[in-house]
Amino acid sequence: VPAFILGPGVQPRVSSELVSMQDVAPTVLDLAGAAPRNLDGHSLVDLFDGAAPWRARLGFQHYDKNLKVSFTGVKTATNRKMTVYANGVREYYKLDTDPYEIDNRCRISAAGTYVDVSGGACAQSLYDWTSVLSTCSGSNCWALETVQ
């Protein structure tokens, strides 16, 4: 999320941490001295000094025009991304070597299971996280996102 946050006591810095638009409201409330209550995002103020632990993963969802979930996914701090579409199709990318998401590493095997192009299960742990993070809310999401 490209953004500038300016204000008293905010030092300029660039961060490559996983952030979301959902983090904007808690950040504004935090900077205003108000206590954010059970919002899905997390205040970016914790990133200002770089000392606080941050997300290991970030869940995301997309809704179609009928407000039905069309896909869910998870992106990790280690540049891995899994997207699961409503029809069950999975996409898995290693963003450090494939930043434009061209080479989907998930394939359907003859047995009908998803496998990685290099063999083995296709990022099963990321697939599991897509489900977990798509159903969490508020501070529960933050607790799940920061689990190493």
Side-chain angles (χ1 to χ4, degrees), residues 48-78:
F48 292 172
D49 63 9
W54 200 249
R55 289 183 175 104
R57 70 198 53 79
L58 177 65
F60 57 89
Q61 292 180 311
H62 180 268
Y63 294 85
D64 66 17
K65 64 182 179 181
N66 299 314
L67 299 180
K68 302 250 189 233
V69 175
S70 57
F71 62 81
T72 61
V74 62
K75 183 178 178 195
T76 71
T78 57

Side-chain angles (χ1 to χ4, degrees), residues 119-139:
C122 187
Q124 185 62 43
S125 65
L126 281 183
Y127 175 75
D128 295 343
W129 276 112
T130 63
S131 175
V132 170
L133 291 173
S134 69
T135 58
C136 68
S137 65
S139 58

Side-chain angles (χ1 to χ4, degrees), residues 13-116:
R13 76 181 290 248
V14 175
S15 174
S16 61
E17 299 288 350
L18 292 172
V19 298
S20 167
M21 289 302 294
Q22 294 179 6
D23 297 327
V24 173
T27 302
V28 171
L29 289 170
D30 198 1
L31 290 171
R37 292 200 172 106
N38 208 31
L39 299 174
D40 281 346
H42 191 76
S43 175
L44 298 173
V45 169
D46 290 343
L47 285 178
F48 292 172
D49 63 9
W54 200 249
R55 289 183 175 104
R57 70 198 53 79
L58 177 65
F60 57 89
Q61 292 180 311
H62 180 268
Y63 294 85
D64 66 17
K65 64 182 179 181
N66 299 314
L67 299 180
K68 302 250 189 233
V69 175
S70 57
F71 62 81
T72 61
V74 62
K75 183 178 178 195
T76 71
T78 57
N79 286 314
R80 302 299 186 253
K81 181 180 175 186
M82 168 73 73
T83 303
V84 181
Y85 293 88
N87 63 4
V89 171
R90 299 181 196 178
E91 292 182 356
Y92 170 54
Y93 300 100
K94 293 184 175 182
L95 300 174
D96 47 354
T97 58
D98 185 17
Y100 301 108
E101 300 176 20
I102 297 189
D103 182 29
N104 179 9
R105 299 190 55 83
C106 280
R107 305 285 190 267
I108 298 178
S109 71
T113 60
Y114 277 95
V115 295
D116 189 276

